[in-house]
Amino acid sequence: MAKVALAGNSVVAGRARFQILSPHLVRMEYAADGRFEDRPALLALDRERPPVPFRTAARRGAIE
């Protein structure tokens, strides 16, 4: 079974998903059909990491 990022470490904005893996590493994904890939990626094999503190903001149509 693939290890995926905790739900609290993910941000979905439209057809993009951002998974916060560490304070310095963000996995970005775009899915035109809105179905995101949860299989391991070459550089993100283990996404089942402890919660990472982060915050988001929507400004002028962009997510920060």
Side-chain angles (χ1 to χ4, degrees):
M1 180 198 268
K3 294 182 176 186
V4 299
L6 298 175
N9 285 1
S10 296
V11 174
V12 176
R15 295 180 177 147
R17 177 171 70 175
F18 304 88
Q19 296 177 313
I20 315 315
L21 303 178
S22 80
H24 306 284
L25 181 62
V26 176
R27 180 178 189 259
M28 299 177 284
E29 181 179 6
Y30 175 84
D33 62 2
R35 294 178 7 200
F36 297 105
E37 187 65 59
D38 283 326
R39 291 182 296 172
L42 181 60
L43 297 175
L45 294 174
D46 180 8
R47 290 176 277 148
E48 190 176 87
R49 316 276 304 192
V52 177
F54 68 93
R55 60 183 184 215
T56 61
R59 295 192 179 121
R60 297 182 187 147
I63 300 291
E64 294 180 6

